[in-house]
């Protein structure tokens, strides 16, 4: 008889397939303009589902990295994987925006983007807000891992309750809504690992 742990392991063993589906969904979402505001299928928007798949596997995979590395090495690995991409993407985006859209950027704007302050609407522009959010998840991961380890499914339920409170009291701010609504799926990936 298969247990739920066996099912999760089977899903993770097919990570390459699910990652491919996620990439296709995200690419389609960015290439094809979809009217998300007037569609009953908004929650099934392929980009959203693709991001959720990556965050589920991210939460799951980070558990293994945290358990097999000291905390300092864990952080070094995370920063080496995401920060160079963030720097490259930021610089290319600024060059394109300066050349095509004739924006004038300051060093302050670039520093705000490279330090993730732009995520909190401090200087810069938010075209790489998702990378900033991922850095925050990496930074908070050991704490999130311990919370899920201690509280299990209750931690995911609490994250949904906090999310609904946030959305109720702060209905504006698409970036924050999009980012914070992904935390429960990230926590679910951690839960499935344990």
């Amino acid at each position: 008889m298969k247990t739920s742990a066996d099912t999760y392991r089977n899903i993770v063993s097919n990570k390459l397939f699910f990652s491919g589906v996620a990439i296709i969904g995200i690419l389609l979402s960015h290439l094809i303009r979809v009217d998300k505001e007037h569609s009953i299928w908004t929650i099934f928007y392929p980009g959203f589902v693709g991001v959720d798949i990556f965050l589920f596997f991210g939460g799951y995979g980070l558990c293994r990295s945290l358990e097999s590395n000291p905390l300092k090495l864990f952080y070094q690995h995370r920063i080496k994987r995401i920060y160079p991409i963030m720097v490259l993407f930021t610089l290319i985006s600024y060059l394109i925006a300066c050349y095509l859209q004739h924006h004038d950027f300051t060093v302050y704007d670039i520093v705000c983007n490279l330090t993730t302050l732009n995520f909190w609407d401090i200087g810069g522009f938010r075209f790489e807000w998702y990378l900033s959010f991922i850095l925050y998840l990496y930074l908070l991961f050991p704490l999130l891992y311990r919370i899920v380890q201690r509280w299990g499914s209750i931690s995911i339920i609490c994250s949904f309750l906090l999310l609904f409170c946030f959305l109720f009291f702060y209905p504006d701010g698409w970036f924050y809504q999009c980012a914070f609504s992904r935390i429960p799926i990230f926590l679910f990936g951690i839960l499935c690992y344990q």
Side-chain angles (χ1 to χ4, degrees):
M1 182 170 173
K2 280 183 109 175
T3 65
S4 60
D6 293 331
T7 303
Y8 296 133
R9 284 188 197 95
N10 189 27
I11 290 170
V12 172
S13 69
N14 292 306
K15 180 182 176 187
L16 188 58
F17 168 77
F18 288 108
S19 296
V21 170
I23 289 170
I24 291 168
I26 292 169
L27 286 174
L28 285 175
S29 298
H30 285 92
L31 293 174
I32 301 170
R33 191 76 171 165
V34 176
D35 185 8
K36 294 181 286 194
E37 292 181 18
H38 300 97
S39 173
I40 195 167
W41 304 106
T42 300
I43 60 170
F44 299 110
Y45 188 58
F48 295 163
V49 174
V51 169
D52 290 339
I53 290 170
F54 278 120
L55 283 174
F56 170 83
F57 284 121
Y60 191 94
L62 286 174
C63 293
R64 180 169 288 136
S65 179
L66 184 64
E67 288 182 354
S68 61
N69 294 301
L71 195 58
K72 181 179 177 183
L73 192 57
F74 170 81
Y75 280 123
Q76 286 175 349
H77 287 182
R78 298 308 109 208
I79 289 175
K80 284 180 186 176
R81 288 191 76 181
I82 194 76
Y83 202 70
I85 294 168
M86 185 174 168
V87 169
L88 180 65
F89 185 76
T90 297
L91 295 177
I92 290 172
S93 298
Y94 273 110
L95 290 173
I96 290 171
C98 286
Y99 181 73
L100 295 178
Q101 299 172 348
H102 306 293
H103 283 292
D104 292 325
F105 298 105
T106 65
V107 172
Y108 174 73
D109 289 325
I110 293 172
V111 168
C112 287
N113 274 50
L114 294 177
T115 58
T116 71
L117 291 173
N118 66 321
F119 184 79
W120 305 107
D121 209 18
I122 301 172
F125 291 89
R126 287 191 178 153
F127 34 68
E128 80 281 343
W129 66 271
Y130 182 74
L131 294 171
S132 298
F133 176 65
I134 293 296
L135 279 175
Y136 287 121
L137 282 180
Y138 286 171
L139 179 66
L140 294 172
F141 181 78
L143 174 65
L144 296 173
Y145 176 80
R146 300 284 182 253
I147 290 170
V148 173
Q149 190 177 38
R150 179 172 180 156
W151 296 99
S153 299
I154 293 172
S155 61
I156 296 172
I157 293 168
C158 289
S159 72
F160 273 118
L161 293 174
L162 289 172
L163 174 64
F164 289 130
C165 290
F166 171 78
L167 294 175
F168 180 77
F169 290 110
Y170 191 72
D172 298 329
W174 180 86
F175 297 105
Y176 302 125
Q177 292 172 0
C178 192
F180 297 146
S181 67
R182 297 316 199 276
I183 292 174
I185 193 75
F186 185 73
L187 295 178
F188 186 62
I190 298 170
L191 180 67
C192 290
Y193 179 81
Q194 299 174 359

